[in-house]
Amino acid sequence: MNAKRSSIADRLLDWYDAHARDLPWRAKPGETPDPYRVWLSEVMLQQTTVAAVAPRFREWTERWPSVEALAAAPDEAIMAAWAGLGYYARARNLVKAARAVAAAGGFPRTEAGLLELPGLGAYTAAAVAAIAFGERAVVVDANVERVVARLFAIDTPLPAARPAIRGATDRITPDARAGDFAQAMMDLGATLCTVRKPRCLLCPLRESCEAFAAGDPARLPVKAAKKAKPRRQGTIFWLERRKGTRSVWLVRRPDRGLLGGMRALPTGPWTDPAPALAEAPAAINWRMLEGKVEHGFTHFDLTLALAVGRGEAQGAGEWWPVADLAAAGLPTLFAKAAQAVMAAEALDDGSMT
C-alpha cells in the first residue's frame, strides 16, 4: 500500500477509535467479537435502518442468545419474530444458515467458507470475515459505496460504478484491523459522509477527498434514473367468527415467494385489473370497506381492497384471537390491513351478515 493509501487507513482508524458508534452488536474495546452477533446484525441490517434494527436485535438475542439456540427454534417462532423487518427471505435463510453452523460446530472463519452458508452473499461474508475473524476482506455496503465514490470522484452512475468502487475500496483496506476499518467506513458514511449535506469539515479524510476538492461531494455517487414501478391490485379478507373468543382467520403464505412462510390474512391474487373476491376464504356475503391499503415492494407497488365478513373458513389456516393479534407476527402489509379494519369498526354487531 502506498503512502497515500496507508494514510487514509491510519487517519480513518484514529477517527474510529475516538468516534465509533455504540451499537448493540459491536464488541467493546478489548472484547472478542461474537460471530453470531456480527452475522445476525448484518443480516438484519440489509435494507433496514440501524434505528429499526437495534431494539429488534436486543429482543432477538435475549430470546436466542446463540446460534445453537436459534438453530433449535421452531420455524414459526423465528418467522413471527422477524415480522416487520421485511425482506422475509432473509429470515428463511437465517434459519437454514443457523442450522448449518450448529451442525458444523461453529462458523467458518474465512470469507470463502462463509459464502457457502445459505443466504450469505459477498457483502455479508466479507463483513463477518473481517469483523468477527479479522480476515482482510473488502466490505462495501451503501455507506462505504458513498464514501469511496466521493473519495476517488468515481462519477460513473450506479450500478455500473460498483466494480470501480470495490477496486478502490480494496486498495485502501489495510491488512491489520480490517474489521475496524470496515466499521469505520460504515460509521463515516452514516454520520459525516451522509447522502445530503455531508459534514466535510469534520471528516478525517477531507484532505484526500477528490469530491471535496472539486467542491460538490453531495453529487456523488451518481444514481441511475429510477424506473417507474408497476402497480398491482388485490383484496385482503378479514374473516371473523365469534364462538366464545372473537377470532380472525389466518393462513400461512407459501414458503416460496413474497412474505413466504409468514402468517397472514388471506388474500387473493395480486394482479391488474383488481381481482375482486377471487380466492376468498369463505363463500359468504363480503362487505367491502371504503379504504384501501397501500404497500410498496422492491419491484412493484400494491393497492389492496379490504373485504370483511363473518362465517366459517375453507382450506388450511387457523383461528387467531383478535385481542392477541400482535403476537401472530403479521408482516407489515397485513398488520396495516388489520389496523385499517379495526379502525373502521367494520365488525360491530349487525354490520355484517
Side-chain angles (χ1 to χ4, degrees):
M1 184 183 299
N2 65 31
K4 178 181 177 181
R5 306 308 192 217
S6 178
S7 173
I8 287 173
D10 290 343
R11 279 182 282 141
L12 185 62
L13 288 168
D14 286 345
W15 173 84
Y16 179 72
D17 289 340
H19 300 285
R21 289 180 293 175
D22 183 11
L23 300 173
W25 44 85
R26 280 190 181 166
K28 303 296 183 185
E31 292 181 348
T32 300
D34 180 349
Y36 169 63
R37 295 174 72 88
V38 174
W39 163 67
L40 177 62
S41 70
E42 291 297 342
V43 174
M44 285 187 164
L45 286 164
Q46 293 168 19
Q47 308 293 331
T48 312
T49 65
V50 167
V53 167
R56 302 294 296 275
F57 179 88
R58 292 187 182 96
E59 294 170 4
W60 191 286
T61 50
E62 287 175 2
R63 185 172 183 179
W64 298 300
S66 66
V67 70
E68 291 80 12
L70 182 61
D75 290 16
E76 295 81 3
I78 294 171
M79 297 304 292
W82 192 269
L85 286 171
Y87 297 90
Y88 293 93
R90 293 181 296 167
R92 296 193 294 273
N93 284 326
L94 199 74
V95 176
K96 295 176 184 176
R99 290 171 183 162
V101 169
F107 281 89
R109 300 181 64 87
T110 65
E111 185 177 1
L114 289 160
L115 274 170
E116 297 297 318
L117 293 175
L120 269 75
Y123 166 75
T124 305
V128 175
I131 298 168
F133 300 116
E135 181 180 353
R136 186 190 182 279
V138 181
V139 182
V140 184
D141 71 351
N143 282 316
V144 177
E145 194 171 75
R146 185 168 58 256
V147 171
V148 173
R150 291 172 178 173
L151 193 59
F152 296 98
I154 298 171
D155 58 5
T156 304
L158 293 171
R162 288 189 173 130
I165 290 172
R166 179 179 175 80
T169 308
D170 191 2
R171 292 195 298 274
I172 61 173
T173 299
D175 294 329
R177 298 188 66 186
D180 286 345
F181 178 81
Q183 293 177 109
M185 291 287 277
M186 296 173 194
D187 282 9
L188 188 69
T191 62
L192 297 184
C193 196
T194 50
V195 175
R196 299 178 184 84
K197 298 180 180 179
R199 302 164 68 190
C200 298
L201 295 180
L202 299 176
C203 179
L205 305 183
R206 182 182 69 250
E207 294 177 4
S208 301
C209 182
E210 295 180 25
F212 174 74
D216 190 13
R219 182 180 67 86
L220 300 174
V222 179
K223 295 185 178 180
K226 287 186 177 180
K227 296 181 180 178
K229 290 195 289 186
R231 179 167 292 278
R232 299 179 187 172
Q233 301 182 75
T235 303
I236 284 183
F237 299 95
W238 177 280
L239 179 64
E240 184 177 314
R241 74 174 184 183
R242 295 194 178 185
K243 292 184 177 179
T245 302
R246 180 187 176 194
S247 302
V248 64
W249 184 248
L250 300 182
V251 297
R252 190 170 298 280
R253 293 184 62 81
D255 287 338
R256 292 183 177 275
L258 288 170
L259 312 177
M262 301 295 292
R263 285 194 189 98
L265 294 166
T267 176
W270 296 346
T271 58
D272 188 19
L277 298 177
E279 300 182 18
I284 60 172
N285 292 324
W286 292 96
R287 178 187 173 195
M288 304 304 296
L289 300 186
E290 291 184 6
K292 295 182 183 294
V293 173
E294 305 282 345
H295 194 77
F297 291 100
T298 303
H299 300 298
F300 66 93
D301 291 321
L302 182 63
T303 299
L304 290 165
L306 298 170
V308 297
R310 195 174 292 153
E312 290 301 321
Q314 301 166 345
E318 59 186 322
W319 290 106
W320 195 277
V322 173
D324 195 34
L325 196 56
L330 297 180
T332 301
L333 164 61
F334 296 101
K336 287 194 295 187
Q339 291 167 2
V341 170
M342 291 187 282
E345 299 181 344
L347 300 181
D348 286 348
D349 287 338
S351 65
M352 294 184 300
T353 58

